[in-house]
Amino acid sequence: MDLLQLITNLNIMIVVVMTAAYLYQGVYMLIGLIRRKMRPLPEAGRLHRFAALICARNEQSVIGELVDSLKAQNYPAELLDIYVLADNCTDDTAGAAAAAGAIVYRRENKELVGKGYALDELLKHIAADRGENAYDAYFIFDADNIVDPDFVREMNKTYDRGYQVATCYRNSKNFGDNWISASYSIWFLREARFLNAPRMLTGNSCAVSGTGFMVSGSVIRENGGWPFHLLTEDIQFSVDCVLKGRRIGYCDSAVVYDEQPTTFRQSWNQRLRWSKGFFQVDRHYLLPLLKGSVSRGSLRMSCYDMFMTVAPCIFLTLGAAVVNLLLLLLVCTQPFIVARMIEAETGRYLFFCVVNTYLGMAAYGLLTVCSEWKRIHATAGEKLRYVAAFPVFMATYIPITLVALFRNVTWTPITHYSSRQLGKAARSRQAKA
């Protein structure tokens, strides 16, 4: 009976610890539900000078559309320059970008591979040709993005309010392609609605997520360029900002449309890189973030939030599940009645762990889709149908995380398609339906 009590106490302890650790995100969710719309930003006192930075590898098919969307901004063209670094390309990305009107540089470096290295080199080219003080701030985009016409104007308002770093509302170009692209989209919409928006409203630091973010020239100069070269350089940069006392802002009215992977192989490779990158961030920053959570004054909550964002808490849950599975195998050494009781306890824990996790993630996905319904570009059927698959998508992080723990992971490119190709695929699906 002592063993049964130990198992019960262990399972209860895991649930209590995880609930307490993530309780603050429940508060964020309530804030996101109550404040359905963020207040419009006041007009900026002045129009600032910006540069859009795009590091592209074999993106000939999409780079022109991104540049076109930046050229079509509701912002003075003379205050926005567009730069593209064609990074180790074997296609005509450089030619397509130049034809669309971007200022283009080329990079050939097979040793230092990754967005962080490419971005650092692009910034050095700009500093050499235009000067370090040529721009008030920079926007970072991925080549497959499409930028809303008011993006720069809205980000200018955020910069004018004193934010040196800010992220945007990350929407999707292809939510309705399949369950994989929809799950990605739900994840990023959730991040905007129920994490970054409440962080902004409560005065905590937000987190940069890959693309569509702004960095001031003063931050670039202070950092000596872009010294963030881990596999998840965006998370590394976010952590660095928090530890240096910078609050990352969020602009809900600045929208970027991002293309999500549609095949499981692409998704596996991308998320494997993300998971490995999180482990790299943990190795460098987990302890400083933990210290900051108790010693950084007004930034304690931001440090704790970032700590919980990057901490591999999944292993605590997996550990409890593994212990319960092992005990199921070892009950044969116990008397019959005790063995049956242990089987019941461990089986109940594993069953409710799976069911509650699925239902919880499905509810989270449904809440996100319903909250952002009008901003999702998909049919009503696609919006609702793919919510059921969202928990399955999230569950695949378990094997991905375990593989990332032991495998050497490198950056691999993802094939992107133009919005015209995506639109044709969407019309074909609707016609068949």
Side-chain angles (χ1 to χ4, degrees):
M1 296 299 291
D2 289 340
L3 180 59
L4 178 61
Q5 188 62 49
L6 177 63
I7 297 169
T8 303
N9 292 341
L10 174 65
N11 292 334
I12 292 174
M13 183 185 70
I14 295 295
V15 172
V16 170
V17 169
M18 294 297 286
T19 301
Y22 285 101
L23 185 61
Y24 77 98
Q25 290 195 12
V27 176
Y28 280 170
M29 183 184 298
L30 289 176
I31 294 172
L33 289 172
I34 295 169
R35 291 289 297 271
R36 295 190 62 82
K37 288 186 178 180
M38 297 189 69
R39 293 173 182 169
L41 296 173
E43 289 298 325
R46 58 171 287 214
L47 299 177
H48 298 273
R49 186 171 182 80
F50 297 104
L53 310 182
I54 308 151
C55 297
R57 181 174 179 180
N58 292 341
E59 302 283 11
Q60 178 182 350
S61 64
V62 296
I63 191 65
E65 293 181 351
L66 171 56
V67 176
D68 287 344
S69 71
L70 289 168
K71 289 283 187 179
Q73 290 293 298
N74 295 325
Y75 199 78
E78 66 273 15
L79 296 180
L80 176 65
D81 291 331
I82 305 165
Y83 293 91
V84 172
L85 180 73
D87 183 24
N88 290 306
C89 291
T90 57
D91 67 357
D92 194 25
T93 295
I103 302 166
V104 179
Y105 295 96
R106 291 175 173 82
R107 176 177 185 263
E108 294 293 336
N109 191 323
K110 301 298 192 296
E111 300 298 322
L112 302 177
V113 176
K115 181 179 177 180
Y117 292 109
L119 190 55
D120 188 49
E121 184 166 321
L122 179 54
L123 286 165
K124 285 179 169 56
H125 281 302
I126 294 172
D129 294 346
R130 299 295 179 94
E132 290 186 345
N133 300 311
Y135 301 100
D136 294 313
Y138 301 87
F139 300 122
I140 316 298
F141 297 107
D142 287 341
D144 60 290
N145 295 159
I146 298 293
V147 183
D148 183 83
D150 290 323
F151 180 93
V152 176
R153 182 170 293 276
E154 295 301 311
M155 276 294 199
N156 181 66
K157 296 176 184 178
T158 306
Y159 179 80
D160 206 58
R161 291 181 65 193
Y163 285 95
Q164 299 294 295
V165 183
T167 189
C168 72
Y169 184 92
R170 187 173 177 180
N171 209 328
S172 177
K173 289 162 60 176
N174 61 328
F175 182 103
D177 273 5
N178 59 23
W179 68 280
I180 296 173
S181 63
S183 296
Y184 271 99
S185 304
I186 292 171
W187 179 258
F188 290 123
L189 292 172
R190 174 210 64 93
E191 184 178 73
R193 179 61 179 265
F194 296 119
L195 286 180
N196 278 335
R199 286 165 175 161
M200 185 75 166
L201 292 168
T202 55
N204 293 311
S205 180
C206 302
V208 165
S209 181
T211 187
F213 62 95
M214 176 189 71
V215 186
S216 73
S218 61
V219 170
I220 295 296
R221 290 189 293 274
E222 182 181 325
N223 288 333
W226 191 262
F228 307 104
H229 306 308
L230 300 182
L231 288 172
T232 47
E233 80 288 331
D234 53 341
I235 297 299
Q236 183 187 9
F237 174 63
S238 297
V239 172
D240 182 77
C241 285
V242 170
L243 291 175
K244 289 180 177 177
R246 297 193 189 100
R247 281 189 173 88
I248 301 173
Y250 167 69
C251 185
D252 188 70
S253 51
V255 183
V256 161
Y257 296 92
D258 189 34
E259 182 185 330
Q260 309 305 337
T262 56
T263 70
F264 190 76
R265 178 179 292 276
Q266 286 184 331
S267 176
W268 176 281
N269 290 337
Q270 184 183 63
R271 290 186 290 150
L272 186 66
R273 175 174 61 83
W274 290 351
S275 296
K276 191 68 174 184
F278 268 82
F279 288 140
Q280 293 175 342
V281 170
D282 291 340
R283 186 168 64 252
H284 289 87
Y285 298 101
L286 210 56
L287 185 57
L289 283 173
L290 184 59
K291 291 180 179 177
S293 299
V294 296
S295 64
R296 293 301 300 273
S298 62
L299 287 173
R300 282 198 299 258
M301 187 61 211
S302 294
C303 286
Y304 177 76
D305 188 1
M306 192 59 64
F307 174 84
M308 293 307 300
T309 298
V310 302
C313 294
I314 188 175
F315 289 119
L316 188 61
T317 303
L318 284 176
V322 169
V323 168
N324 279 271
L325 285 171
L326 289 175
L327 288 170
L328 277 176
L329 298 176
L330 296 174
V331 293
C332 59
T333 63
Q334 300 294 317
F336 179 79
I337 296 177
V338 175
R340 297 291 79 78
M341 295 177 69
I342 293 175
E343 286 177 353
E345 172 62 26
T346 54
R348 183 165 53 249
Y349 174 83
L350 293 170
F351 174 78
F352 282 110
C353 183
V354 172
V355 172
N356 289 342
T357 299
Y358 178 87
L359 293 177
M361 293 307 300
Y364 208 175
L366 182 61
L367 194 63
T368 300
V369 168
C370 291
S371 298
E372 301 301 289
W373 188 271
K374 293 182 179 180
R375 303 178 81 170
I376 298 173
H377 299 275
T379 66
E382 289 169 340
K383 293 175 187 178
L384 295 174
R385 183 167 65 249
Y386 292 132
V387 166
F390 178 63
V392 178
F393 175 84
M394 296 305 300
T396 60
Y397 264 110
I398 296 174
I400 289 172
T401 301
L402 292 174
V403 171
L405 186 63
F406 301 103
R407 180 181 294 181
N408 181 35
V409 180
T410 58
W411 183 88
T412 55
I414 292 178
T415 303
H416 292 123
Y417 302 93
S418 73
S419 58
R420 287 184 291 272
Q421 291 171 292
L422 294 171
K424 183 183 294 185
R427 289 191 295 273
S428 175
R429 289 196 312 273
Q430 292 172 4
K432 291 178 180 178

